[in-house]
Structures are given as structure tokens and as C-alpha cells.
Amino acid sequence: DFPPRMAAPLNRMGPSPPRSMLQALSLATISIFSILLLSASRSESILSFGARSVQQVREVRASFHSGRQVVLSGATLHKMGETSLERTFSRLNQHIPRAGAAPFERKDEGLLPFDVPLTEFSRGSKDKPFDLLVVGCGPSGLGVADEAAKRGLSVGIIDPRPLQRWPNNYGVWVDEFEALGHDDCFARIWNSATVIVDEGKGNGVTLDRPYAQVDRDKLKTKLLKRSLDNGAEFCTGAVSEVKHLDDVSIVSVGEKEFHAVQVLDATGHARRLVEFERDFTPGYQAAYGATIEVDTHPYDLNKMMFMDWRGNHLDPELRKRNDELPTFLYVMPYTRNKIFVEETSLVARPYIPFDELKLRLEQRLASMGITVRAVEDEEYCLIPMGGVLPKMPQRTLGIGGTAGMVHPATGYMVSKSLFQAPILVDAIQNGIKMQQNSDKSLNASQISEAVWNNIWPEEDRRQRTFMCFGMEILMRLNKETTQRFFKTFFTLSKRMWGGFLSWRISALGLLGVGLSIFRIASNQLRYDFVKNALPYLPSFVKTFTQASNDFDSTAWAGLYEGLAVLYNVSMIQPTRPFDSTRDNPTKQPIRSSSINFADRVIKPRDGEDQDSGINSGPLSLENLDKVSDSAGKLTDDRDWIDFQQRKTFSDQATLASSLPRLNPNDHVDVLVAGVGPAGLALAGELAERGVDVGLVGPETSFTNNYGVWEDEFKDLGLEHTLEKVYDETLVVIDEKKGYEAINRKYARVGRKELRDHLVSKCKNSGRVRYLSGIVEGVSRDTSEPTKIVELQNGDKLSAKFVTMSTGHNREVLEYEEGPPPTWQTAYGIEIAMKNHPWASDKAVFMDLSQSDDENPGVSRVPSFLYILPDEDKVFLEETCLVSQVQVPFDELKRRLYKRLQNMGVTVDPESIIEEEASWIPLGGPLPKVPQSVLGFGAAAGLVHPASGYSIVNSLKMASSVADSIVEGLGTGDFDSASMKAWQTIWSDENRQKMAFYQFGSDLIAKMSLSEIKEFMRTFYSLPSPLWKGFLSHDLNPAGLMVLAISMFAIGGAELRMSLISELASPAGVKMAKAAAYPYLNNPETSPQDNLSEVLTKRNRKESLRGVFRREQLAQNSVPVGHSESSSVIES
């Protein structure tokens, strides 16, 4: 079923195609794929897909090629099924080359420190030929030599420099090298990888699969030594010619000749000996990388950056180029001051020049604020991808790059080659043995034919054709569509994306990937793919069906070019701008380009290392201004809120002293009301885009304590604003089990540091002016297409565009009808305490043990303890995650003191550094979209309804919202700017996600303590990408659906019943409506016009302490130090 609308306007390609046309093209394409893939999927592919080891794959393949029958027991098949996806999908072949200098020192690419002498050739004569001569001493050649020598074959290795270090670094998935037995050759391991696709999302998608950098010297030393130990011999020289006779081949090295039964070309992309029957016209993956020493960088040392596709940092000229030929950043973080960075073009024809890659990388590093102090190593990667396979069969054998084993859609190869080595050697060994045991003379041609059939069976040729087809499509995609594709691709399961990136996937597996992508892709992506696939579909169908080597990389198999020549007209741009067969750019290693990267990026230090100036020390008592009211005497919720909002901190500079003054009656492009994190972030992003911004809000400090996931702030480039990072995060769900680690680092934000950073962006732009005040109303100017903003004191301002970033104060915006929000409330204290009972390197995210014993006669809203410890102080907060009424702060304070009393922790009032009252509405009606006044941050409903988080979401979205506003202002239609910005904030997908979160929030609000514990126990047992993505607001609707299904499958009967019953609730109905919103929404709706006086005065809300009086009386529990509770307990 295809949605009846396109996911995004097709401005670049003209009007949207009719829905029927889109369906027809999509269904035709996927139907052809399905028929071909199903018809091609033999039992061989299913069995080999499930094989647990190289030996099983070899046995299964040999059985089909020899006609032997294979009998596998049910137990064997069961085990194979269990491990097939983990093992064989994991053959994600290395992206050659990856990284520069390893974390250890390695300055030159000279000779390998190898103290064992290489055995020189003792055979190779006509009477004593080698069984196998390997030409090339790279990973592929040595991998085959090692395997062949181990089997007892006589092996000779020829290379001009056999002990030269391998110049390229290899990045691999840990599990694939473990399966090959090379897990002892890692230089460094990262626990996971990250992919960033969206411009406004800094955290990206986490690939929960360990990644490693290979120790090149160690791997080469290992293969060399094992080969020598098993009798392999070496010749230093270059092969000039190979002549094939019936029983042997003759290899010329200078004036010498050596005889061998088989000759293997392992010369990589140089392709020196193998023959091709047609032009070799690949795409090229180009990458420039460098190991750099920096002052600091934003990357987690436990994560490598697999792909960062963002491109808005580029200057206009390069951005235009990047829109058509996108590149991504690949990062291996070694230490806090050393990283490997690489700007990569996935595939293009012709390749992107290295000078351009250097310029893109330079601008990317500058945009991230990375100061480069030294460039230690550089790497130039040029990898041919796709193109025709060598002529098959032929007497010269091939392995690795020379045999077309580069993954045509990713550039990975080395693991594929090492995996193929035993299969290749098997065929040679079996052929020699069979002919030795027969009366016939040795026929080398039959052996070489068997080798080619084994390393490129029909199934693998079909797979490669499919991937070449995909490569041609990828080369035609612009940046926007490429981002859409990878955003969709990495929402697939790990099994699917891992399988596609691997060579170990059957035709059925490819079908599953293709169908899954089409199912979850937007209509825009479907259209782009079908449009770009059609020119190559005829050749693909023919080649795939026949499992042949005839895939044509020209559109419509050259038909358009042929017609153009016939009629002497220029009809289309040629798809082959140069002939790589005549000028092979990979024949010789590339060592340099015109631009000197180091000269452009290195910033010399001025004298000694400078202090960063970031104050990350503990919050001191001297930094707190005394407020007029003592918080300890407050009981009314209204007083608590006033207390929290009026707190000031003398270490946070006033806005009036930091920014130029905005005067009454001034006119600005955009007026931002609100000076919290969301308002300051949006103002800074707008100003950096050349917009004049007016900032209006009361002169207040950042008063809330912000706890965030460390990886989120790192991805935003805000790591320097973190006051404290915890090595581990703990939860207590089952009191008997106690603390349990959830394996994600948590951090406490430095309020001063974050505010200074955001204010500094505003100040440095020179385009933000500030006026202290509160916006009272917004109306249209009757004579100009602008808006009049009236402040509470009667002052007026005018602006083309107005956005309200006023937190939970929502007066000026209009909201949809619907049920009221649920609530998260929390009371916290920070106390100076030495020798407290909590480890200072571990945060307690949620302790669900309760302060009071359960009383069957009392209906109790559960709360949990949240702890951020430091060496000599600790922040403690009692939090109600979500409830249908606000739990009074006074009640939360009572629970916290009682809990501490139960733990034997005494609170000295004199040791209290700070008290905090947090009150967050969750969910509720969304703003009306569109309306002329934009909301942002909490005012726009960006609070996570199931967790209460909002700051990260607002900071992530500020950039994309600013882009939308600027784009709209550029049209001169200011309501259009509002429309674009609202669509960015509340896209159809975001509405669907919000409804899902609201569903979860309402579900939790109705749960008892035991039900919440069961929910949390199930939640944290999910795969980490699911629960992390849920808490970080990163899962798309498909991912959320996977999470819901997983919760249902893993959870107990009580949880399943709760999920089912909630579907019929208002939240369930709301979720269904959100899913249908794209079909029901009328995009032609115009912004609201009735803005003359939107603001409505609200009566002060009465305290809800009375709701909990019965509970407090029933508990009869007044903890020591909480004497104020007597006023609550009085009837």
C-alpha cells in the first residue's frame, strides 16, 4: 500500500507524478526483482547462507558443483539457522583503505620489521613446477598463499617488495575478522558505530556492532610467518609476462622463468595479468584521510563515525557540488587529541578529485570547531567499484581487486578475499589430486575453470549484478535522495543492513532487503529510486536472469547514445566520461595532490598550551544568590514554581551586558520570545545565517539541572559544556537485584557553560539584540506585511516573523482541541556531603524502590530516585515520571526525605547547596499547524511525552528550523516562512512519533508500581538501539513499531493486556489518527489570521496538595527534617 501523497515536494524534478503512475512503476520494478530473485534462489544459496564456517560453505558448494548429495541432520540445520544471520551476515568486507596512522606510532611506509629471512625459490623449473605461483603480496595474495601452503601445496610468491608495509589501513567489523581467525590482529576496537544522515540531527543512528582497526603490520607478519613455516618460497621481482601451456604456466620475472600449475594474479586494482573481455568501466570510491592531532574533538572514544552525510557547513560553491555529488565523513577517534578523519565519496564516475575532498574536509572540521595542531599521516584512496568481471574461465586466476571482489555498492573487499581463499585453494587442491589419481596427463585449464566456477558461482554473480545495479542507482542520486536512502536503509534490522553490506547474502536475502526498503520508504524515495533504476533495468534483467557477465553501465544499454550518433544530435550527457581501460587511475598508488592539506588546516600554538577557559568545576555555594523566600518553608505549588523561576546565579552573565540593546519600536527580521536554551539556540542559528534577530525575555539564568546522555551532547558538539560525565548509568527495578548497569554514559550539563556557549553564538554573530520583557500579544500590521509585538509593559516592536520559545508558557500560540497533558513533577536537592554512599563515577537514572511500604488500601502514584553524585556533593531528586495530576512538590519532598532516612542518610539543612522544583506538562494538544506565530522548544510541544526530555531535541532541531525560516523569508511571503518552519517541526513523521510517545506516556500514567516495574524491566531488555533511540527521540515510526512489537513479544501477560487495552483509549485513538494524518491533512490550509489579541490571561492554578492528603495521612509518615509537612497533614 502506497500513501496517496508524496513525502516531499518534487521541486527539483517538476510536478509530482500521478499516484497511479508511481504505483505502477514501483510495483513493476519490485515485481521484476521478486520474480528474478525467487527464481534464482536455489537450495544452494539457502544452505550456504546458513553455513557456520568456511568449511561448511566449502562442503556445500563442492557438493553442488560435483553432483554429490549433502545430508544434513535436523540438529545441524537448526544450528545453522541460529547462527546464519549473526555469522554469515557479518562478512561485511573492509572498506579499503580505512584510516591513516594507527593509534601507535608509525611514521613511514618502509619495510616491515621482519627478522625471519625469506626462503628463496628452490623450485619452479619445468621438471619441478610450483603448484601455485602468487603474484602480489597484499592481504589477498598472502591469504591464499597461507591457505595453500597450509594444505601442503608448493607455493611461490612473487612481489617487487615482499616486505614493504601495507600503506592502507583497514577498518573491519569485529565479528567478521573473528570468524576468519584474525581477531588477534586488531589495533583498536570501538564498541559501536554511528551514521548521521539528517542535517539537524547530531546524534545519528547507532549501529550496535563493534568495529575495529586492523594492525596491518601484525596481520602481514602473521601471514608471512605462517606461509614460511609451511614451506612457501619468495622471489623479489616484477612479473613481465605469463605464458600458458597445457599442463603448466610460465611466469617471466626479468630474464628468469618459473613454471607453475596455476598462476594467481593478486596485484589488486592494477589488474596486471588477468584478461577482460570488455571495457572495464567501474565507478570509483575516492577518499582523502588524515590522522590529525587536535586540541579537542566531539567524538566518543568508544564509537567510530561510520558515515556523516551532513553538508550544510560547506561554502555555496562546494555545497552546490555536494548537492549533486555528496560525500560523507568517516572518523576513527584514537584519543582525546588524536583522530583519523576521512572525506569519502561513496561512488562516482568520474571520481571526485582529491583536492576537492581536501577542501570539503577542511570546511567540515572548521564548522565543528576542531583546531588542528598537526597532520601525522595522509591517505589517498581510490577504489574501482563494479564494472565487468574478468573473462571466465581463463588460465590466470584472480583474487581480490583484480577478480572484481570489491563490493559494488560499498567498496568493501578484504574480508571477502580472505573468505574466498580457502574456496580457491580447495578447487586447486582437488583438481591436482583428481588428475594425479587418473591416467590422463595434467590439464591445468580444467583446474583453472573449476577455480573460477568456485569463486564466482552463478549465485554470487547474480548477487554482484544486483549490487552493480544498485551502484549505478547510487551514482545518480543527489545528496537529498542519498540521505533519504541511508535514513531508510539503517532503519532496517541489523540482519538486513548487515546482510546487504556483506557478500554473504542469498538472493532471498536481497529480496528481503529490497522489499523492506520499499515498504518503509517515503513515496519520494520510491519515486527517485524507480526513476533512476529504469535506465539500467533492461540490462539488469538480462544479466541477472542469465547469471552472466554482461551488465551494461550505460543508461538504456547505450540506446540513447546510439540514437544520438545516428541522428547527429546531443540527446543526453554520456554516462562514461572517460575510458578507464586506457587510463587506469589505480594502476599506481596515489601519494599526493596539488593542495597541501596541512598548510591549510594547522593552527600553530601561541606559546604554551592555553587553558580552554571552560569552568567545569563544581557549583559552589558562593555562586548562588540568596532568594527572598526560603524554599524550605514553601508548600503551595504556585510558590514553588515562582521560586524556581526566580532563582539567579551570579556566575551567569546578564544578557543585557552580553548583547546589544533592542529598543522599543525597533524592527527586526525575526523576533524570538524566550531566553532559555531553545530560544537562545534558535536566535544563534538564525543570526549565523545573516538574519537580524530581536531577543525578548525576562533577565533570568538557566535554573534547571539538565541531565543528558553524553553521546547526544557529543554529537551536538557540546561536549565542552558538560560539567560531569559518568562512566556508567544504573537503574534499580528489582530491589532484590539492586543496581543494574544499562551501558550508556550519562552526563550533567554545566548550566553556565551551556548558556555561555549559546550567548556567545548570538554575540559573535553581531546580529542579535536583546530587550528584557514579556510578550503580551502579537497582531498584524495593517499597512505592512509584518507583525506588531506588544510587551507586558506596553512597549511595541515589529518583526517580519515571530517565534515563541517561552517554555511551558503557551499563551500566544493556538493549540488543537484535545485532552489535557499528563505531568512530570520532581523535587530535588543538592547537598554538600563528603563520604556519601554513592560512587562518584556512576549516575543513578532511576531507582524504583519506594520510600514507603506499599499499602493495599492506598492508591499511590509511584516515583523514583534520581542521583547525580560528585566527590564531595550529590544531587538527589524524587521524580514522578508521569501522572494524570501533578504530584505536589511538598509530597515529593516528603518522599525524598523519608527515602534518605530509610537509607541512613541525614540531611543537614546547612549543607543544602540548592533546591529544585521541576514541573513539566507531557503531551497534550499540539499547536495548530500552520499558524503565523511559530512555536519552538517546549512551547511547540517538543517535550518527550514519555520521558520529559526536551533540551536535546530543541538544540538538535534549531538548525533545521532556522534553515526553514530563512528559506521562507527569502520568498518575501512571511506566512510561507511560518508554514515551512511548522512543517519542519511537525512533519507527518514527527506527528506519528509524538502520538506513539503520548500513547506510552498515557499507558505508564495508568500503571501501578508493579506494572511500571514490569514495563521498565521489559524496556531495558530490548536491543540497545531500540531503548536508546526511544529515549533520544530518534526512532522513526517504523522503529517505534518494532519497539512496540518487541515489548509485546518480550513482556509478560499483564503488560500485553495493558498494551492491548490502551489501544482503545483516547491515546490509542490519537495514535491511529496521527498515523492517518498524512491522508487526512489538507496541505492547502492557510495560516491563522486572527492574531489581533491571542494572549489570554489564565487564572492561577490552585495547588493539588489536597489530592495527596489521604495518602500522606494513610502513610502516617513524616520524615525527620521535613517539619513543613505538618501543614499538609492537618486535615
Side-chain angles (χ1 to χ4, degrees), residues 718-736:
L718 295 173
E719 180 185 7
H720 63 282
T721 67
L722 297 178
E723 177 182 309
K724 171 81 173 179
V725 177
Y726 297 93
D727 294 336
E728 188 51 89
T729 307
L730 309 175
V731 296
V732 177
I733 298 173
D734 187 333
E735 294 177 48
K736 294 180 180 179

Side-chain angles (χ1 to χ4, degrees), residues 630-913:
S630 170
K633 297 179 181 179
L634 302 176
T635 57
D636 193 292
D637 291 344
R638 297 171 297 183
D639 296 330
W640 276 112
I641 296 299
D642 289 342
F643 158 75
Q644 181 66 23
Q645 292 180 341
R646 294 177 188 277
K647 285 196 300 187
T648 59
F649 298 92
S650 59
D651 63 340
Q652 297 184 30
T654 63
L655 292 175
S657 65
S658 304
L659 299 173
R661 175 176 169 77
L662 177 67
N663 295 307
N665 300 317
D666 278 356
H667 177 79
V668 292
D669 293 330
V670 177
L671 186 134
V672 177
V675 293
L680 286 175
L682 183 58
E685 293 291 339
L686 287 166
E688 286 185 344
R689 288 157 174 76
V691 175
D692 289 327
V693 180
L695 191 62
V696 175
E699 185 73 80
T700 57
S701 306
F702 284 6
T703 61
N704 293 327
N705 281 287
Y706 301 116
V708 297
W709 300 109
E710 183 206 26
D711 53 275
E712 293 185 325
F713 253 48
K714 277 188 173 182
D715 290 339
L716 288 169
L718 295 173
E719 180 185 7
H720 63 282
T721 67
L722 297 178
E723 177 182 309
K724 171 81 173 179
V725 177
Y726 297 93
D727 294 336
E728 188 51 89
T729 307
L730 309 175
V731 296
V732 177
I733 298 173
D734 187 333
E735 294 177 48
K736 294 180 180 179
K737 292 183 178 180
Y739 290 121
E740 298 178 82
I742 60 174
N743 299 318
R744 190 181 190 187
K745 289 186 177 182
Y746 199 72
R748 182 175 182 177
V749 177
R751 291 173 289 197
K752 175 187 182 300
E753 288 72 24
L754 178 61
R755 190 171 183 271
D756 285 351
H757 172 84
L758 297 176
V759 172
S760 177
K761 285 187 67 173
C762 295
K763 181 179 179 180
N764 293 340
S765 71
R767 290 183 172 275
V768 180
R769 292 175 289 161
Y770 169 70
L771 177 63
S772 178
I774 296 175
V775 173
E776 182 85 3
V778 180
S779 60
R780 287 188 182 277
D781 188 329
T782 56
S783 59
E784 299 288 340
T786 57
K787 296 179 177 63
I788 303 300
V789 180
E790 184 176 349
L791 306 187
Q792 203 172 58
N793 62 0
D795 288 339
K796 292 184 179 181
L797 301 162
S798 66
K800 299 175 183 177
F801 189 91
V802 177
T803 179
M804 301 298 295
S805 303
T806 51
H808 303 304
N809 300 314
R810 300 177 160 198
E811 284 85 355
V812 174
L813 298 172
E814 295 188 346
Y815 293 82
E816 298 170 349
E817 298 295 327
T822 51
W823 305 92
Q824 180 176 114
T825 45
Y827 168 80
I829 54 173
E830 182 159 34
I831 51 178
M833 180 182 292
K834 295 182 178 180
N835 302 318
H836 57 69
W838 297 282
S840 61
D841 61 344
K842 294 178 175 62
V844 179
F845 186 64
M846 178 180 287
D847 181 349
L848 279 169
S849 60
Q850 298 297 296
S851 59
D852 302 290
D853 295 333
E854 287 293 294
N855 187 331
V858 176
S859 175
R860 179 180 177 83
V861 176
S863 58
F864 64 87
L865 180 63
Y866 169 89
I867 310 171
L868 299 179
D870 212 327
E871 292 292 342
D872 55 359
K873 65 177 182 177
V874 59
F875 179 76
L876 304 156
E877 190 170 67
E878 190 76 24
T879 303
C880 170
L881 178 60
V882 57
S883 65
Q884 294 176 319
V885 294
Q886 301 102 308
V887 180
F889 298 117
D890 189 70
E891 163 61 9
L892 292 170
K893 182 177 180 179
R894 183 199 67 79
R895 293 188 189 185
L896 177 60
Y897 274 74
K898 179 65 188 298
R899 185 193 292 271
L900 296 177
Q901 180 178 295
N902 295 342
M903 300 171 70
V905 176
T906 302
V907 178
D908 180 359
E910 295 298 321
S911 68
I912 296 177
I913 300 173

